[in-house]
Amino acid sequence: KTRLIRVDPLHPEDEAIAEAAALVRQGQLVAFPTETVYGLGANALDAVAVRRIFEAKGRPANDPLIVHLAGAEWLSRVVASVPPEVGILATRFWPGPLTLILPRNAAVPSEVTAGLPTVAVRVPAHPVALALLRASDLPIAAPSANRFGGVSPTTAEHVWQDLAGRIACILDAGPTPIGVESTVLDLSTRPPRILRPGGTPREALEAVLGPVAVWEGASGGGAQPSPGLLAKHYAPRARLILVLGGEAEALTARVVDIARTLSAQGERVGVLLTDEDARRVEAQLPGVSLLALGSQTDLTEIARNLYAALRQLDAQGITAIVTRDFGSHGLGLAIRDRLRRAASEVVTLSPEP
Ligand code: TXA
Ligand code: MG
């Protein structure tokens, strides 16, 4: 009973958007592409509709959602007050993969914010998402359109695999261009801090704001600023072993060691590396599913391919995935964060970078 509607990613057809927007206005769930991952959308101002998101995903109610807006001019529909930095951040980064944590107003049901006094907001940089927001004329609450805890969807097929039969409609505009979720930024602290690294690099934020901290996760020892930021998340079914804390060559050599050992023990092993790594070590990994994610010189390509690769290895019946850290520049920080959360085991070569 889930409708799959194909739309042009750059020039979405009016009828398709009107149909999806009508469903949103009726309180139904619509999965739609953003520039990061597919979102599972509902009218953010309707508590009943928002509860359907949690049911469809199997998501605990203490995990707050991101509210998507058509533009910064919609902020006053959901936000009580706007700190001074928001103007420049919105000008520079919206539409785009940056989510801001701001004080919520009374129009936002507590289901959206998990009872927090703040609301997460962003303006997505995808023509289909923006068209849906404008046509429905509603702020749309949307987490990633996957079952809770699993790998986020970067294609409509991924959404279908996870949520068919549980939601009204999927707008299919092909693969999402960035492939990892938005950066979540908390402006209530000095310096501002990244709660979740994502599609907007830390360096880009620092160019505008000056120093920006990165919340180090539960392992950092501090109190958890948001109940949704669980350690284990974004995980494939296979167990994932992450090697970090060293130069690319040393990390890759250890990945190869571990993969060969597990393979010799009879496990079905998958390995994720850069194109350059893969060419170098391919011959050492007979019988292993080796996927090249992209060039070491282009972390955006690695980010774009990561989730589909994890899903592909699961679909092949792989039991153990071995991969490495790709550094912390640009999208590297987001990739590291997701791999850490997906990992059942982290192998550290030298003190962490
Ligand atoms: O790219 C994205 O951000 C995608 C697309 C669909 O926009 N959405 C997404 O949503 O990743 P979700 O629900 O999977 O992740 C929302 C993140 C969680 O880490 C949650 O803890 C955080 O935002 N968050 C939401 N509201 C918050 C709040 N009031 N305070 C702190 N963190 C919050
Ligand atoms: Mg998610």
Side-chain angles (χ1 to χ4, degrees), residues 38-101:
Y38 275 75
L40 178 57
N43 177 358
L45 306 180
D46 176 350
V48 174
V50 170
R51 261 181 248 138
R52 292 199 174 107
I53 293 178
F54 290 90
E55 278 161 36
K57 283 197 63 148
R59 177 168 169 134
N62 67 353
D63 194 350
L65 305 176
I66 294 173
V67 175
H68 298 70
L69 308 173
E73 66 282 2
W74 279 21
L75 275 172
S76 60
R77 298 176 78 170
V78 295
V79 163
S81 65
V82 177
E85 312 91 301
V86 170
I88 181 151
L89 289 172
T91 305
R92 176 69 184 72
F93 296 108
W94 282 352
L98 177 65
T99 295
L100 300 177
I101 308 299

Side-chain angles (χ1 to χ4, degrees), residues 140-297:
I140 295 181
S144 51
N146 53 286
R147 294 283 290 173
F148 178 70
V151 177
S152 298
T154 55
T155 67
E157 289 72 34
H158 297 159
V159 180
W160 183 269
Q161 286 157 18
D162 279 19
L163 297 174
R166 302 178 147 263
I167 64 179
C169 170
I170 303 172
L171 288 174
D172 177 1
T176 56
I178 293 181
V180 292
E181 297 84 348
S182 62
T183 299
V184 178
L185 183 68
D186 178 1
L187 292 171
S188 69
T189 57
R190 285 290 161 274
R193 63 180 174 172
I194 292 173
L195 298 181
R196 178 182 71 180
T200 299
R202 176 190 197 173
E203 298 89 329
L205 293 172
E206 290 192 321
V208 170
L209 295 174
V212 171
V214 181
W215 183 65
E216 286 298 343
S219 59
Q224 189 155 307
S226 153
L229 298 164
L230 298 178
K232 178 95 180 179
H233 217 122
Y234 310 100
R237 278 195 303 277
R239 75 182 211 274
L240 188 144
I241 299 155
L242 170 65
V243 184
L244 54 69
E247 294 302 314
E249 288 215 9
L251 295 175
T252 303
R254 180 63 74 88
V255 167
V256 169
D257 271 1
I258 295 170
R260 288 174 62 94
T261 304
L262 292 174
S263 190
Q265 290 167 358
E267 292 230 38
R268 301 186 62 179
V269 181
V271 164
L272 301 176
L273 289 170
T274 66
D275 296 349
E276 293 86 350
D277 296 337
R279 274 196 296 275
R280 228 174 39 242
V281 304
E282 194 173 21
Q284 300 170 55
L285 293 172
V288 164
S289 289
L290 172 58
L291 297 186
L293 294 172
S295 170
Q296 171 70 60
T297 62

